[in-house]
Amino acid sequence: MIINHPLLGPRDAAEFTYLGDAKLIERPDWTSKTAASEFYEYQYLRDNPAGLHRELWFHEAGDRSWLVVTRDTTTHEITSVELARDVARSKGRSK
Amino acid sequence: MTQVNRLSGGQIDREKTLNFTFDGQTYLGHDGDTLASALLANGVRLMGRSFKYHRPRGVLTAGSEEPNALVELRSGAYQEPNTRATVAELFDGLEAKSQNHLGSLKYDLLAINDRFSNFLTAGFYYKTFMWPKAFWEKIYEPIIRRAAGLGSLSLLDDPDVYDKGFLHCDLLVVGSGPSGLMAALTAARSGGDVIIADEDFVLGGRLNSETFEVATQSGSDWATHAVAELASMPNVRVMARTTIIGAFDHGIFGAVERISDHQATPLDGKPRQILWRIYSKQSIVAAGAHERPIAFENNDRPGIMLASAMRSYANRWAVTADQTVVIFTNNTDGHRTANDLTAKGVSIAAVVDTRATAPTSDAFEVLAGAQIVDSKGRLGVTQAIVELADGSRRAIDCGAIGVSGGWNPNVHLTCHQRGRPTWRENIAAFVPASSLQNGMLVAGAAVGEFSTASAFRSGADQANVALQALGLKPQSVELPQTEDAPVSITPFWYVKSGTGRAWIDQQNDVTVKDIKLSHQEGFISVEHLKRYTTLGMATDQGKTSNMGGLAVMAEMTGKTIPETGTTIYRPPYTPTAIGVLAGRARGMDFHPTRLTPSHKWANEQGAVFVEVGNWMRAQWFPKAGETHWRESVDREVLATRSSVGVCDVTTLGKIDVQGADAADFLNKVYCNGFAKLAVGKTRYGLMLREDGIAMDDGTAGRLAEDHFVVTTTTANALGVYRHMEFAHQCLFPDMDVQLISTTEAWAQYAIAGPNSRNLLQKLVDDDVDISNDAFPFMACGKITVCGGLRARLFRISFSGELAYEIAVPAHYGDAMMRKIIEVGAEFDVVPYGTEALGVMRIEKGHAAGNELNGTTTAVNLGMGRMVSKKKDSIGSTLSERPGLNTADALVQVGIKPVDPKDPVPAGAHLMNADGPVDAANDQGYATSACYSPNLGHHIALGFLKDGANRKGERMRLVSPLTGIETNVEIVSAHFVDPEGDRLRA
């Protein structure tokens, strides 16, 4: 597969390692009253779409950036690649 | 010896005569022959025995779709089974053997299977071999194992060298027939970077097998000139002998180029084959079409082959299977073979045409509305039994039958990315889906354009579509004048009369009867048909048989062929040597080897090394006279604990963490606190996974307010770094912190033992104060050594002794080790390896990988209170789950044998002193074990339910599978220096 890195251009998927659903960015707030069940869902519950999937890839053999890749799991077509850091910030994550 | 079936003409070089052997017999052939064409030329029709029934078989085809003529090529370690004789280029000295017979090819003892065919129908193994039960292991299985498979392996290491390469292009053209050549020419003339690949050793596809003229030249001459033009262009790469084995994601193709297979021995310095990854922006599959047979009773005899193959043998290789031939056809193509063979002086005894409106001929008899219903001739066909339109029968003597049932576009590659072919009624065949993934285009016969003129047109058109997509200028091409005959076919799949077997899949011995049985048993979907009968599951993936099988099942179920559907072709297109997929990654080159900075020195000492991931680490350093590893390891442990030892710990992960938020960041990734760690101090840190399971442990040393050095275990160096970058970039993106892996940047040595400070004193520069007050236990700092060399010093101890770890820039590592040994001689410094390292940490009760085994928590490790409840860290919330905090949770303990002579093996389970030994009563298990030279007996660490409250308890340590049951006592995990006095000395 070819992943179009937003800064470096097209790279072979072999340069990356795959983590999983980009939902992992949305880590719950530990102070929440329902933190235990929120963390449980965060850790264990996943959609398993036959279709577009937003997922995390780590450019381990490159610039060591984490990327959010939107990929169709049935055709492997990749429709977008973003820096995970940008996605995290857009979801209000900070320190 | 004479080539009795040679004809005139052809594209072989009669000047070059080649010797080859088949089953020990020597024959002659010519340059340009394949093994199959040369065998036929010598009158050899019998080339193999079928898989299940051991029926005598010959070639069915002239290409890589061949199901029958599978031979073993070469001998010794080079021997390769299941090679198609139809694609094996003949070379002088070629040795080939037929396969799958007990005894000779002619007198195969296993041919008896054919007599039991009623018991060996499709799926017979689902209904047999079950009784008596004892017979399976001793009788049935060994027999099946011996009978299974085709061909044999030498079982010697593959001596060939294989390489891998990467190619990039604008356009990949798969296939060099008329459409492929035209597509490549069109695209190349616009300046695009083009790769054209063909599995054959001569490019041109069917142009080399047909007698049509192309712009007043022969087809093969036109092809030769086209290839020469392409080869002369700097933006074109022409790849012959190159099979495109698969279409993968995003326009990436796999290709195997055969560099040396057509030579007796590989050329000097050349690999046998190369695996290419081809990155293409656009692709055109011009893979042509495969002819399909018509099934009739006993249609599998040697000499019965596809009519188009007969034309290839006659026109390209100047060979006929026999001087008297019968043709069986349902379309005009069969007549083409009759005409071509007649022109070469072969006698056509009859053309049997299923169509009542078959064209007549002056040159041979045409039997319209007729069918071949049977054949005779066990080791080679001798007669065709024909049923005429009026129902009467005639036996026609012949030595070969050419069968033409129509053409199937070669859709294989278009299916790899899940393209599902669609039915085209006018050619009674499947063509690729009209819209394919990654913009793959299809041209020529592969998309149902069967005439030569339409193939040229199609190739040029598709090339222009590709050029458009590439943003290059489309070309207007003058197409050469050539035949443009329409397709005229009346579908006819199999002959219905007769009670015998008619073959559909010749390689897996699947007959029409088997398909009917599959239907009868309820396996009617095309996917079930395939798996139940094994139709299409042989090495040819059913290229000449899938269609026929579908047609029979469609008839059985009353559906149309398109309603029945197709299964999915998958890579590789043809069988591929495992060796070429491995490339150079074999033996010691399977993965990179990483050597520590002291490796050279350790090698000089005669160290024994162990693989730890990619690293080579010294395991122990045997001294002269020592014959057993325990002698060396015990000595290293005792010497270190009594004076001083040195160990290379460079392989442990080192991560530099810098920035204003470095301490806050560590607070997030470690379960214990780091915000208040003073500058100049180190702290043990435990990292949890988000689910509360321990992930890794190590230390973090604070060199400055905004600068930490984090260590990890060797195995998790990569994983922890990845995890920390994830935490930073994905969870806490605004934290002002930078991470960099420095594992390879610093050589790091542990210096441990009562004399470690004394040794170190001889290395550090005068201004460095390492007294116990100035540099207490868990101190750290930047220092200089050996007259100004920058270094980092950490007073941490894995062994439990007074110990330090000193780090210098890696390129000084070798010199540093030698210096340590030199100044340490005064204290009898002993180098110790990973075994002694392991013994000492077990004696001390330190957890390591065996304890952090992916199922254990901080509570299990006895570190429950280390998980701070005052801050958020990865894993902290889920670590509080009740299930992980039960009263009887496993807790780390020490285990010692009651009888000091007994070992206490890791992996064994703890059971109460009395009661049953079973999973329900399992109390825990031993994780790390060793012989302790300090205590004089074996010891182990392990996990025990409620272990903190069970010290002194007598238990049993058991391993029922390996017959171990030992009496043990639960003790503190800290066997040596439990108070930690030595650490703080």
Side-chain angles (χ1 to χ4, degrees):
Chain A
M1 278 205 315
I2 306 219
I3 295 175
N4 269 292
H5 193 293
L7 304 174
L8 304 174
R11 312 300 307 177
D12 194 296
E15 294 178 11
F16 298 79
T17 58
Y18 172 82
L19 180 59
D21 197 322
K23 209 183 122 180
L24 283 166
I25 291 175
E26 296 163 60
R27 186 167 177 269
D29 176 2
W30 74 297
T31 63
S32 154
K33 285 201 171 50
T34 50
S37 66
E38 286 172 43
F39 267 94
Y40 170 81
E41 285 186 32
Y42 167 79
Q43 180 66 19
Y44 293 109
L45 299 186
R46 293 283 177 273
D47 291 332
N48 189 20
L52 289 180
H53 186 235
R54 278 168 72 73
E55 50 195 35
L56 285 160
W57 289 78
F58 179 53
H59 199 192
E60 190 154 76
D63 73 338
R64 304 190 311 278
S65 61
W66 278 93
L67 303 177
V68 173
V69 174
T70 305
R71 181 179 65 96
D72 188 313
T73 58
T74 60
T75 64
H76 294 183
E77 187 192 351
I78 292 176
T79 52
S80 90
V81 183
E82 307 160 82
L83 289 176
R85 158 182 275 140
D86 292 342
V87 175
R89 284 181 176 140
S90 78
K91 293 194 184 290
R93 301 204 68 85
S94 183
K95 288 204 180 194
Chain B
M1 278 290 270
T2 53
Q3 302 175 51
V4 293
N5 283 331
R6 230 5 128 178
L7 304 171
S8 63
Q11 293 140 43
I12 52 171
D13 186 352
R14 285 178 173 77
E15 301 293 307
K16 299 203 181 97
T17 303
L18 308 171
N19 291 283
F20 69 98
T21 66
F22 181 63
D23 282 349
Q25 184 128 339
T26 310
Y27 300 94
L28 295 178
H30 295 295
D31 194 49
D33 264 329
T34 61
L35 176 59
S37 66
L39 284 172
L40 288 176
N42 283 278
V44 177
R45 288 178 305 168
L46 174 63
M47 296 185 197
R49 288 279 177 166
S50 73
F51 177 51
K52 197 163 47 165
Y53 300 123
H54 287 256
R55 304 222 348 146
R57 292 282 171 80
V59 277
L60 179 71
T61 72
S64 67
E65 69 272 26
E66 175 59 30
N68 286 337
L70 304 183
V71 303
E72 276 165 19
L73 273 193
R74 293 185 284 276
S75 56
Y78 293 94
Q79 174 188 314
E80 190 175 44
N82 299 339
T83 309
R84 291 142 180 71
T86 49
V87 299
E89 271 182 80
L90 197 69
F91 56 84
D92 197 51
L94 181 148
E95 296 174 351
K97 290 200 312 278
S98 59
Q99 300 182 156
N100 207 43
H101 46 87
L102 190 60
S104 72
L105 176 57
K106 206 165 165 204
Y107 301 109
D108 179 10
L109 294 172
L110 288 174
I112 193 147
N113 285 3
D114 204 23
R115 302 208 183 271
F116 291 105
S117 61
N118 278 343
F119 299 102
L120 297 175
T121 51
F124 73 94
Y125 34 77
Y126 299 125
K127 303 163 184 164
T128 54
F129 303 125
M130 292 184 236
W131 182 88
K133 247 181 147 174
F135 271 38
W136 172 255
E137 214 173 307
K138 298 261 163 49
I139 300 184
Y140 298 139
E141 204 258 2
I143 292 179
I144 293 171
R145 187 167 292 280
R146 261 204 310 276
L150 289 168
S152 63
L153 296 169
S154 70
L155 298 181
L156 300 169
D157 280 352
D158 185 344
D160 281 313
V161 169
Y162 304 84
D163 264 330
K164 290 189 181 181
F166 298 80
L167 295 172
H168 298 257
C169 62
D170 291 324
L171 175 67
L172 171 67
V173 177
V174 182
S176 68
S179 64
L181 287 173
M182 190 54 68
L185 284 168
T186 306
R189 284 172 189 158
S190 79
D193 283 333
V194 177
I195 295 176
I196 178 167
D198 197 301
E199 60 179 353
D200 207 333
F201 51 99
V202 175
L203 272 56
R206 290 270 342 144
L207 290 171
N208 295 325
S209 295
E210 307 290 6
T211 51
F212 322 129
E213 285 214 327
V214 178
T216 76
Q217 297 174 354
S218 73
S220 61
D221 280 347
W222 187 91
T224 305
H225 291 129
V227 172
E229 181 182 342
L230 286 168
S232 75
M233 298 168 87
N235 55 323
V236 179
R237 187 184 184 109
V238 177
M239 300 182 78
R241 299 186 178 92
T242 302
T243 304
I244 303 298
I245 55 169
F248 300 100
D249 292 321
H250 304 172
I252 302 175
F253 289 81
V256 173
E257 183 180 6
R258 287 171 289 283
I259 306 291
S260 305
D261 278 340
H262 59 290
Q263 284 140 354
T265 46
L267 292 175
D268 227 4
K270 292 280 183 195
R272 180 194 168 201
Q273 296 173 355
I274 298 175
L275 177 73
W276 295 102
R277 288 167 75 97
I278 302 179
Y279 295 82
S280 71
K281 295 192 183 128
Q282 295 288 310
S283 60
I284 296 177
V285 172
H290 292 136
E291 192 170 40
R292 60 202 180 204
I294 303 169
F296 55 90
E297 197 174 323
N298 291 312
N299 61 328
D300 68 323
R301 299 195 193 281
I304 303 180
M305 62 183 69
L306 294 168
S308 64
M310 281 188 170
R311 288 205 300 284
S312 300
Y313 286 121
N315 296 324
R316 176 171 169 183
W317 285 295
V319 158
T320 183
D322 194 83
Q323 300 297 333
T324 308
V325 170
V326 168
I327 301 293
F328 184 23
T329 184
N330 66 353
N331 68 97
T332 44
D333 222 58
H335 292 255
R336 197 169 275 158
T337 299
N339 286 319
D340 283 3
L341 290 179
T342 304
K344 295 258 181 174
V346 175
S347 162
I348 303 297
V351 171
V352 180
D353 196 319
T354 60
R355 303 170 295 174
T357 55
T360 56
S361 167
D362 297 329
F364 40 77
E365 183 179 13
V366 176
L367 301 168
Q371 310 169 20
I372 295 185
V373 296
D374 198 354
S375 77
K376 297 261 182 277
R378 201 176 59 85
L379 292 176
V381 68
T382 55
Q383 263 187 354
I385 311 300
V386 181
E387 188 174 282
L388 301 170
D390 62 8
S392 66
R393 293 208 171 182
R394 198 207 291 186
I396 306 180
D397 290 339
C398 62
I401 302 176
V403 184
S404 177
W407 290 82
N408 292 328
N410 186 359
V411 304
H412 211 295
L413 280 177
T414 70
C415 299
H416 291 179
Q417 293 282 298
R418 303 197 80 81
R420 304 298 289 225
T422 56
W423 182 252
R424 176 96 67 81
E425 191 66 38
N426 69 327
I427 56 172
F430 285 98
V431 297
S434 53
S435 156
L436 295 168
Q437 213 160 298
N438 303 311
M440 178 185 272
L441 302 165
V442 193
V447 73
E449 301 294 334
F450 287 157
S451 79
T452 316
S454 70
F456 280 133
R457 201 176 320 126
S458 171
D461 287 348
Q462 296 307 301
N464 279 325
V465 172
L467 288 174
Q468 199 101 19
L470 287 165
L472 294 170
K473 191 156 165 286
Q475 304 289 304
S476 83
V477 185
E478 201 191 314
L479 299 173
Q481 196 67 357
T482 187
E483 69 84 25
D484 198 4
V487 173
S488 166
I489 178 169
T490 304
F492 189 98
W493 306 103
Y494 71 104
V495 170
K496 293 194 176 44
S497 57
T499 53
R501 288 165 294 163
W503 266 263
I504 295 288
D505 182 332
Q506 293 199 29
Q507 189 163 139
N508 265 355
D509 261 344
V510 179
T511 62
V512 171
K513 277 188 175 182
D514 290 322
I515 296 166
K516 293 187 173 176
L517 178 64
S518 178
H519 174 260
Q520 184 183 315
E521 305 237 328
F523 296 102
I524 56 177
S525 92
V526 67
E527 301 286 358
H528 281 149
L529 162 66
K530 172 181 172 179
R531 276 80 180 178
Y532 186 73
T533 63
T534 75
L535 160 76
M537 293 179 71
T539 68
D540 62 338
Q541 279 197 60
K543 292 182 178 93
T544 54
S545 57
N546 286 334
M547 198 64 242
L550 278 189
V552 174
M553 183 54 84
E555 194 183 291
M556 293 285 106
T557 55
K559 292 188 177 166
T560 63
I561 290 175
E563 279 171 341
T564 306
T566 54
T567 55
I568 300 182
Y569 282 118
R570 303 178 200 281
Y573 176 70
T574 45
T576 299
I578 301 278
V580 77
L581 299 173
R584 298 273 180 172
R586 299 169 57 174
M588 284 309 289
D589 291 336
F590 179 70
H591 56 65
T593 306
R594 302 172 82 182
L595 303 177
T596 66
S598 72
H599 184 90
K600 180 158 172 275
W601 167 86
N603 215 12
E604 291 164 14
Q605 313 314 307
V608 172
F609 292 94
V610 63
E611 288 179 43
V612 183
N614 292 349
W615 293 100
M616 299 298 290
R617 296 192 74 181
Q619 207 174 2
W620 61 83
F621 293 80
K623 266 192 159 163
E626 286 173 347
T627 55
H628 188 270
W629 63 272
R630 270 276 312 278
E631 291 181 66
S632 314
V633 173
D634 289 355
R635 172 183 52 77
E636 289 172 17
V637 169
L638 289 170
T640 301
R641 290 210 188 279
S642 66
S643 181
V644 61
V646 60
C647 180
D648 189 329
V649 294
T650 304
T651 64
L652 280 78
K654 301 183 267 301
I655 302 171
D656 239 58
V657 182
Q658 300 183 18
D661 294 329
D664 286 343
F665 179 74
L666 292 185
N667 255 5
K668 287 288 191 185
V669 297
Y670 281 124
C671 69
N672 52 324
F674 279 83
K676 299 212 189 78
L677 183 63
V679 173
K681 281 283 201 262
T682 317
R683 178 171 292 167
Y684 175 79
L686 179 66
M687 259 185 223
L688 304 179
R689 298 189 324 214
E690 195 66 84
D691 63 357
I693 301 293
M695 185 176 81
D696 199 57
D697 67 346
T699 59
R702 192 169 203 166
L703 297 179
E705 200 61 38
D706 59 356
H707 185 190
F708 290 79
V709 176
V710 165
T711 70
T712 80
T713 60
T714 300
N716 286 332
L718 228 60
V720 168
Y721 180 79
R722 190 186 305 142
H723 171 75
M724 288 172 73
E725 284 287 13
F726 163 77
H728 179 213
Q729 295 178 41
C730 298
L731 302 181
F732 318 112
D734 286 340
M735 274 199 176
D736 180 6
V737 64
Q738 303 301 320
L739 310 169
I740 187 153
S741 166
T742 55
T743 309
E744 297 92 353
W746 296 92
Q748 191 143 331
Y749 302 118
I751 300 174
N755 278 318
S756 57
R757 182 182 293 119
N758 295 330
L759 189 162
L760 203 55
Q761 198 66 67
K762 298 200 174 280
L763 295 170
V764 303
D765 289 341
D766 294 337
D767 61 329
V768 178
D769 187 352
I770 57 169
S771 64
N772 198 21
D773 290 332
F775 208 83
F777 179 53
M778 297 305 269
C780 68
K782 295 181 183 181
I783 62 169
T784 62
V785 300
C786 302
L789 174 63
R790 62 196 172 101
R792 290 170 174 182
L793 188 64
F794 307 86
R795 189 169 155 187
I796 52 181
S797 177
F798 199 41
S799 58
E801 294 302 312
L802 167 64
Y804 303 79
E805 288 189 17
I806 179 145
V808 294
H811 48 284
Y812 288 98
D814 177 86
M816 189 68 197
M817 177 58 90
R818 293 176 197 274
K819 193 75 184 171
I820 290 171
I821 297 298
E822 180 196 317
V823 307
E826 182 186 333
F827 311 103
D828 299 318
V829 66
V830 65
Y832 65 94
T834 56
E835 288 301 318
L837 182 78
V839 169
M840 286 191 281
R841 71 99 185 163
I842 294 171
E843 287 179 332
K844 188 61 189 168
H846 280 148
N850 291 3
E851 287 73 39
L852 276 68
N853 61 22
T855 69
T856 54
T857 63
V859 164
N860 301 142
L861 295 167
M863 299 179 198
R865 274 174 295 187
M866 207 188 286
V867 184
S868 170
K869 294 203 198 303
K870 292 193 240 149
K871 64 167 172 102
D872 173 37
S873 68
I874 291 175
S876 58
T877 301
L878 288 177
S879 73
E880 291 173 15
R881 289 182 283 169
L884 297 176
N885 293 281
T886 56
D888 66 343
L890 295 172
V891 174
Q892 187 173 312
V893 294
I895 304 168
K896 78 171 211 202
V898 169
D899 181 343
K901 290 194 303 307
D902 283 342
V904 281
H909 279 247
L910 289 161
M911 295 284 161
N912 290 320
D914 306 297
V917 172
D918 57 24
N921 288 288
D922 189 11
Q923 299 295 301
Y925 55 97
T927 51
S928 303
C930 68
Y931 176 80
S932 165
N934 288 291
L935 300 172
H937 58 78
H938 285 81
I939 57 174
L941 302 175
F943 292 108
L944 175 63
K945 284 186 178 176
D946 192 28
N949 297 320
R950 295 171 78 169
K951 302 270 164 64
E953 186 174 325
R954 291 277 175 105
M955 302 190 77
R956 284 174 294 172
L957 189 67
V958 305
S959 173
L961 264 181
T962 50
I964 294 172
E965 189 169 311
T966 308
N967 292 323
V968 298
E969 181 185 334
I970 303 303
V971 295
S972 160
H974 310 294
F975 295 91
V976 167
D977 187 35
E979 301 305 312
D981 293 331
R982 299 189 204 182
L983 288 171
R984 293 177 169 74

